[in-house]
Amino acid sequence: MAKRDYYEVLGVGRDADAKAIKRAYRKLAKKYHPDMNPGDKQAEQKFKEVTEAYNVLSDTEKKKLYDQYGFAAFEEGGGNPYGAGGQNGAGGGFHGGFGGFDFGQGGNGYHEYHFENSNMGGMGDIFGDIFGNMFHGQKNSGYSRQSSGFGGQGFHSGFGGSGFGGHTQEKGSDLRSEVSISFEDAAFGCDKMIRLSDPSGSGSQTLQVHVPAGIENGKSIRLKGKGNPGFNGGEAGDLLLKVNIQPKPGYERNGMDVYTTTEIPFTTAVFGGEAKVSTLYGDVICRIPEGAQTGRKIRLKGKGIVSMKNPSVHGDQYVTIRIQVPQNLSPEAKEKLREFQQVCRNDERKRRGSVA
């Protein structure tokens, strides 16, 4: 297969500066690294290809030769101005600075390249930059000086043993799912059985999940180690369950506080009295003050939602009063109300007269 232009491989223009070249390589190296694509031979070849391109384009002298002579700059007896045994040592191609490319017969196909006497700090730094976190702090471990390159035994100390992947441990990725619970379950906590199906259809597993009392809508529960398996013995990822709380008619929640509405008879509003109010903890009797108006709020201390941080702390319930308007009154009741209305009007006239 014919080799592709190095600039095309990295997806940059021929006028790209060192930063753009490095940035392009970082992105592609992450994408195609064999540890991120276990068993994918195509990704492995892509990784070799982009690394080969970066090693030339990131080196000022090699880049200059490549721009002028193309691949011939690194072929034995080809367009290389130094020729066999030229400036960089015997044998043609670049040796002292790069260790030599071997592109096979007539430049067809990639075999291997070495880092025997090259600037190990540069490549070590960029791989540490790209993969430092992934390899848990082995940022500057670099490559084995005796490595035979990608075509041979692969990376050594920097990537954990022979071949790609080696013994490097990586944590598995997290999984995400959702669970629906009732308003009461969110308030008091509960245990739920959930079934997770393998996307491939190969099976499923049932898990028991404890939902803590006081959890809010949209919050997630983390089940450690229930995500995707790790690589090379690394720990499994986590399962994040987003909680969806179903509404409860007549109840609204704001943090730890609960808001409800209760209706009281017209006479109770006028004379005062008692009213039964429903709460999450059962019915309670509330004292209604004389002359209560629609919209007035009564606070029921401690009748709200428990705190997830401190089970001894609860929010409050705020009850809004709504006055019932009498309907289907008997003639006698209507007559009494008219008398009441007239008395109220007379009282109002007297009040105005005394003020005047």
Side-chain angles (χ1 to χ4, degrees):
M1 185 176 66
K3 290 176 65 63
R4 289 199 298 155
D5 175 70
Y6 288 149
Y7 290 98
E8 179 186 343
V9 169
L10 294 182
V12 298
R14 303 190 77 85
D15 59 347
D17 59 15
K19 288 184 178 180
I21 291 171
K22 183 176 181 179
R23 184 165 54 249
Y25 176 64
R26 285 169 55 90
K27 180 179 178 181
L28 293 171
K30 279 187 176 182
K31 180 178 180 180
Y32 294 120
H33 188 272
D35 274 349
M36 309 306 288
N37 303 274
D40 189 338
K41 295 298 183 183
Q42 186 176 4
E44 182 177 328
Q45 290 302 318
K46 288 279 190 183
F47 183 73
K48 295 176 184 178
E49 185 181 37
V50 298
T51 303
E52 175 185 324
Y54 177 75
N55 273 280
V56 172
L57 299 184
S58 63
D59 185 285
T60 304
E61 292 302 321
K62 299 183 188 73
K63 182 177 182 295
K64 186 183 300 183
L65 285 173
Y66 178 74
D67 289 344
Q68 186 172 359
Y69 299 102
F71 297 120
F74 310 106
E75 291 178 358
E76 200 170 321
N80 185 350
Y82 302 125
Q87 177 176 330
N88 285 287
F94 260 80
H95 282 270
F98 195 58
F101 278 114
D102 175 6
F103 293 118
Q105 299 298 322
N108 295 322
Y110 172 86
H111 286 282
E112 67 179 38
Y113 57 87
H114 306 270
F115 297 100
E116 293 161 357
N117 298 311
S118 61
N119 178 6
M120 295 303 297
M123 284 300 293
D125 286 346
I126 190 171
F127 272 98
D129 245 6
I130 296 174
F131 302 109
N133 290 334
M134 186 174 73
F135 294 105
H136 305 292
Q138 298 182 17
K139 179 174 180 180
N140 295 316
S141 53
Y143 315 94
S144 168
R145 294 176 62 85
Q146 302 302 319
S147 167
S148 62
F150 297 119
Q153 296 176 7
F155 291 127
H156 285 263
S157 61
F159 288 81
S162 61
F164 289 101
H167 303 292
T168 301
Q169 293 186 342
E170 296 179 46
K171 182 179 179 180
S173 58
D174 292 339
L175 291 177
R176 296 180 183 275
S177 188
E178 297 185 358
V179 61
S180 293
I181 61 175
S182 68
F183 195 93
E184 288 87 348
D185 285 344
F188 300 111
C190 66
D191 290 323
K192 287 283 185 181
M193 301 300 293
I194 63 170
R195 174 171 293 179
L196 298 178
S197 298
D198 191 319
S200 66
S202 60
S204 63
Q205 62 172 321
T206 302
L207 299 176
Q208 179 172 307
V209 180
H210 176 68
V211 179
I215 194 166
E216 294 186 51
N217 189 56
K219 296 294 186 180
S220 292
I221 300 171
R222 181 181 294 272
L223 300 181
K224 191 171 179 61
K226 297 301 182 181
N228 285 318
F231 297 97
N232 296 325
E235 64 177 315
D238 301 333
L239 171 61
L240 301 176
L241 278 180
K242 180 181 177 182
V243 175
N244 296 318
I245 301 176
Q246 299 170 350
K248 179 178 174 64
Y251 286 76
E252 290 186 11
R253 177 178 173 180
N254 184 3
M256 294 168 56
D257 294 330
V258 173
Y259 294 82
T260 63
T261 300
T262 190
E263 291 188 344
I264 62 174
F266 172 75
T267 51
T268 302
V270 173
F271 301 114
E274 295 179 339
K276 184 170 69 174
V277 175
S278 296
T279 76
L280 292 172
Y281 308 92
D283 294 339
V284 297
I285 301 300
C286 293
R287 174 67 184 171
I288 306 299
E290 181 178 325
Q293 303 293 308
T294 290
R296 177 166 182 163
K297 285 185 173 59
I298 299 174
R299 177 190 177 195
L300 302 180
K301 189 174 181 180
K303 296 299 182 181
I305 306 295
V306 66
S307 168
M308 289 184 63
K309 297 180 179 179
N310 186 348
S312 65
V313 176
H314 289 70
D316 302 326
Q317 179 172 336
Y318 292 89
V319 184
T320 299
I321 291 176
R322 182 182 299 163
I323 299 173
Q324 296 173 339
V325 177
Q327 296 178 339
N328 302 320
L329 295 176
S330 65
E332 183 180 3
K334 289 181 179 179
E335 182 62 28
K336 295 296 182 181
L337 276 177
R338 290 191 183 97
E339 293 177 5
F340 171 74
Q341 182 182 45
Q342 187 61 46
V343 171
C344 289
R345 287 175 178 174
N346 292 337
D347 289 344
E348 180 65 18
R349 291 192 190 99
K350 292 178 181 179
R351 187 185 66 80
R352 290 178 180 177
S354 63
V355 170

